[in-house]
Amino acid sequence: GYIQACRGLMISAVCLGFFGAIFGLVGMKCTKVGGSDQTKAKIACLAGLIFILSGLCSMTSCSLYANRITSEFFDPSFVAQKYELGAALFIGWAGASLCIIGGSIFCFSIAENSNSPRRGYAYNGATSVMSSRTKVHNSIPEKTPPKHFDKNAYV
């Protein structure tokens, strides 16, 4: 019975992760689908909640299976084949943790959108560097243009 429960939790975690990824793609600012920025922020928060729920389902499934394995392993009256914790459980716990962390990042991304408006920066233009040799010291205007960009201006 516990294997069927673990299997059901893992299938629901995969399905929730798929829908969370779809909502996450729609909720990103770089996509054209989804409407305004406020709507996209709400969709991204929904994707975060779905990812957190997916991670919790996966974590519950891995922990339930590991609890059963360890209780059977340390039970001296259990005479059937005993199993040990394998790499799949550790990968499952790591993946569930990453889902929970990623979902919380998605949820907290809505706070960044509503509190701080984007500031624009004005471009002041490039400033040129003139060496003392390129400045004109006499008051008679010359016919040739001044040499602002000779080899000394870049040093």
Side-chain angles (χ1 to χ4, degrees), residues 46-76:
L46 176 67
L49 290 174
I50 291 174
F51 274 128
I52 290 172
L53 190 61
S54 171
L56 288 176
C57 284
S58 179
M59 184 79 73
T60 304
S61 173
C62 290
S63 298
L64 180 66
Y65 193 75
N67 183 28
R68 183 66 178 226
I69 286 174
T70 55
S71 65
E72 287 177 356
F73 186 79
F74 291 115
D75 187 14

Side-chain angles (χ1 to χ4, degrees), residues 46-131:
L46 176 67
L49 290 174
I50 291 174
F51 274 128
I52 290 172
L53 190 61
S54 171
L56 288 176
C57 284
S58 179
M59 184 79 73
T60 304
S61 173
C62 290
S63 298
L64 180 66
Y65 193 75
N67 183 28
R68 183 66 178 226
I69 286 174
T70 55
S71 65
E72 287 177 356
F73 186 79
F74 291 115
D75 187 14
S77 63
F78 188 73
V79 292
Q81 184 177 3
K82 295 182 178 183
Y83 296 102
E84 295 180 1
L85 300 179
L89 282 175
F90 297 114
I91 291 171
W93 280 322
S97 301
L98 288 175
C99 271
I100 292 170
I101 291 169
S104 61
I105 289 172
F106 261 122
C107 285
F108 290 133
S109 69
I110 193 171
E112 186 268 327
N113 288 336
S114 62
N115 290 342
S116 61
R118 300 188 87 171
R119 288 181 32 192
Y121 293 100
Y123 178 68
N124 294 331
T127 59
S128 69
V129 178
M130 290 178 40
S131 67

Side-chain angles (χ1 to χ4, degrees), residues 128-136 146-150 152-153:
S128 69
V129 178
M130 290 178 40
S131 67
S132 62
R133 283 188 263 167
T134 59
K135 291 183 181 177
V136 179
K147 296 181 179 179
H148 294 286
F149 299 107
D150 63 347
N152 294 328

Side-chain angles (χ1 to χ4, degrees), residues 3-67:
I3 293 177
Q4 294 296 328
C6 292
R7 194 175 291 163
L9 282 170
M10 285 304 258
I11 289 172
S12 64
V14 168
C15 292
L16 284 170
F18 174 75
F19 289 119
I22 297 297
F23 284 129
L25 287 173
V26 171
M28 288 184 183
K29 288 183 180 180
C30 61
T31 59
K32 302 285 185 194
V33 182
S36 67
D37 285 339
Q38 291 177 345
T39 307
K40 284 182 174 281
K42 289 178 184 176
I43 293 172
C45 186
L46 176 67
L49 290 174
I50 291 174
F51 274 128
I52 290 172
L53 190 61
S54 171
L56 288 176
C57 284
S58 179
M59 184 79 73
T60 304
S61 173
C62 290
S63 298
L64 180 66
Y65 193 75
N67 183 28

